[in-house]
């Protein structure tokens, strides 16, 4: 059975073996912190994406979705502050030449203190770090690393460079006028989807006749040149975000911030994950745009880590775009007869991190041994609504007309949800394979089916089996997957 430490490795192997997630361009030995989703992973990811989209847009009459381009006018990133401020403090070890994000290095050391039973020491270290971060005190951060004699994991030495800032945006050039010397020609791969929403604020508000408070949601790729890119799909260089900007009347941002904190936590709990697996983490060091900010953290096998951020951004973004574009970003509020630049509450969740959260929550190695025989299984207990395959249709044998009946069930069900047909191997092996893919329902067609039109349905989590009529399969599965 996997311990928490090796559970993470077990999940990574499982994802590869069962077609969820592969290292990118693996035949060339992969590309650091870039991953491809396979046949199962892309279904799982799509289901999570759809679930978020539906709960944000369809279920909120005042939230609409857009799909903005990855490339944006370079001035966008000047206005947003990313050109000047999207930096992480980094430090290099002079002996190993390895570069670390300063917060990761210190947090890693705090984790070691905790593991050695020094909870209080770890908390002191983190609070000292946060105080220095809040003041952008780079020299202070270096002094802290030296004070605690935090060593490089590779060289084992404390021979560090000064702490420096490193911009995380990927830049490229556009068209034939491109010249790498010309900073104005630089086009960035967006490091967040939010700015595509801000620059379209007026377009959407006017064409959609939206009234404050209202939201704009977007799902799409974002790119960050993460220095310490590690931990599987937790920290990638190319990833997907699901973001929503909620525009409110100035003065009401406090209550809307609380509203979205609660609403987002409810969404997480609706995935069937228990509340003690989550916690809020309020930011001490606020980003350049933020008035208040917190993270929703989930207890991954690698510890509590951020899955989602909720930020009260004030009117920073719209005002900045107003300044740089010289276009008015005002909204006229007919209820109070006033013109203003709306304030924004943002909810920003990583799709890939959510996939990793759902996988971590679902993955279970079970010992099913009895006195007679040793047995075990790996099961992914996905909520049915997120499972890549909802129903497996399994004829007991390849003959006697059983495959024909199974095919009819497939034809009947596949327009409604993802089904999987398999007639090879023993039924026991086929069930185990479906457990490993997280398929919540299997139906087996046997000789009795020909007599009374019933099949055996087998439930993934309980492994219970019962006979039901063929006619009821569709309703039963449909009921569970929404
Ligand atoms: P971190 O502190 O972990 O770098 P962040 O605070 O920079 O994250 P945000 O800018 O708030 O993250 O982005 C919102 C969400 O996007 C995060 O909560 C996370 O789920 C996701 N995300 C951010 N960076 C990455 C990444 N490199 N790989 C995968 N997901 C990411």
């Amino acid at each position: 059975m996997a311990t928490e430490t090796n559970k993470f490795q077990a999940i990574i192997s499982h994802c590869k073996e069962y077609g969820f997630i592969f290292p990118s361009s693996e035949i060339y030995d992969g590309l650091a912190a870039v991953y491809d989703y396979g046949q199962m992973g892309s279904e799982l990811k799509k289901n999570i994406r759809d679930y978020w989209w539906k709960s944000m847009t369809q279920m909120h009459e005042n939230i609409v979705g857009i799909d903005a381009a990855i490339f944006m006018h370079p001035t966008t990133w000047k206005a947003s502050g990313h050109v000047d401020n999207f930096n992480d403090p980094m430090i290099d070890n002079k002996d190993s030449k390895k570069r670390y994000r300063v917060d990761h290095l210190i947090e890693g050391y705090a984790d070691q203190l905790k593991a050695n039973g020094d909870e209080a020491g770890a908390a002191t270290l983190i609070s000292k770090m946060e105080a220095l971060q809040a003041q952008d005190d780079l020299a202070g951060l270096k002094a802290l690393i030296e004070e605690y004699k935090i060593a490089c994991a590779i060289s084992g030495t404390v021979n560090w460079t000064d702490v420096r800032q490193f911009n995380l945006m990927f830049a490229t050039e556009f068209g034939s006028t491109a010249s790498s010397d010309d900073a104005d020609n630089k086009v960035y791969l967006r490091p967040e989807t939010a700015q595509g929403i801000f620059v379209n604020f007026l377009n959407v508000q006017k064409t959609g006749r939206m009234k404050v408070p209202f939201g704009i949601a977007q799902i799409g790729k974002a790119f960050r040149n993460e220095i310490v890119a590690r931990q599987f799909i937790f920290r990638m260089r190319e990833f997907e975000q699901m973001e929503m900007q909620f525009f409110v009347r100035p003065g009401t941002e406090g209550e809307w911030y609380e509203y979205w904190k609660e609403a987002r936590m409810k969404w997480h709990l609706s995935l069937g994950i228990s509340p003690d697996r989550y916690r809020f983490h309020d930011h001490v060091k606020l980003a350049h745009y933020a008035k208040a900010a917190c993270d929703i953290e989930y207890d991954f096998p690698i510890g509590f880590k951020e899955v989602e951020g909720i930020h009260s951004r004030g009117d920073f973004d719209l005002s900045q775009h107003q300044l740089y574009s010289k276009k008015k970003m005002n909204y006229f509020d007919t209820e109070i007869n006033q013109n203003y630049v709306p304030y924004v509450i943002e909810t920003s969740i990583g799709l890939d991190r959510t996939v990793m959260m759902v996988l971590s929550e679902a993955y279970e190695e079970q010992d099913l041994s009895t006195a007679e025989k040793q047995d075990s299984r790996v099961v992914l207990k996905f909520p049915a609504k997120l499972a890549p395959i909802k129903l497996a249709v399994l004829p007991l044998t390849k003959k006697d007309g059983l495959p024909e009946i199974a095919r009819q069930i497939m034809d009947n069900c596949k327009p409604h949800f993802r089904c999987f047909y398999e007639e090879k191997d023993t039924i026991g092996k086929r069930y185990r394979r479906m457990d490993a893919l997280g398929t919540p329902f299997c139906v087996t067609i046997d000789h009795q089916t020909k007599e009374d039109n019933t099949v055996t349905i087998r439930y993934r989590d309980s492994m219970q089996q019962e006979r039901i009529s063929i006619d009821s399969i569709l309703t039963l599965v449909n009921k569970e997957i929404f």
Side-chain angles (χ1 to χ4, degrees), residues 101 224 226 233-236 239 241 306-309 311 348-350 353:
R101 240 175 82 170
R224 293 183 189 179
E226 300 279 5
I233 56 169
F234 182 81
R235 187 171 303 286
M236 300 156 93
F239 58 101
Q241 286 186 315
E306 169 181 348
V307 193
E308 172 157 10
H311 312 125
S348 173
I349 178 168
R353 277 192 199 173

Side-chain angles (χ1 to χ4, degrees), residues 117-218:
D118 188 3
E119 289 270 345
T124 311
L125 174 58
I126 294 293
S127 70
K128 279 186 185 172
M129 176 185 80
E130 288 182 341
L132 292 165
Q133 283 175 322
Q135 291 163 11
D136 278 329
D137 184 350
L138 301 186
L141 284 166
K142 181 173 180 193
L144 188 65
I145 291 170
E146 285 173 339
E147 180 193 332
Y148 280 77
K149 300 194 174 51
I150 302 177
C152 165
I154 294 172
S155 66
T157 70
V158 291
N159 191 10
W160 297 107
T161 62
D162 285 342
V163 174
R164 282 168 302 191
Q165 299 280 12
F166 186 92
N167 195 287
L168 299 183
M169 282 198 292
F170 282 102
T172 185
E173 294 148 13
F174 244 32
S176 57
T177 56
S179 142
S180 49
D181 303 334
D182 184 354
D184 292 343
N185 274 340
K186 258 193 193 168
V187 183
Y188 296 100
L189 297 185
R190 65 180 177 196
E192 62 173 30
T193 58
Q195 298 304 324
I197 293 178
F198 291 123
V199 300
N200 278 295
F201 164 71
L202 282 183
N203 283 338
V204 174
Q205 190 273 318
K206 290 201 167 126
T207 57
R209 301 198 297 163
M210 308 301 292
K211 280 198 158 34
V212 166
F214 75 93
I216 305 178
Q218 175 168 222

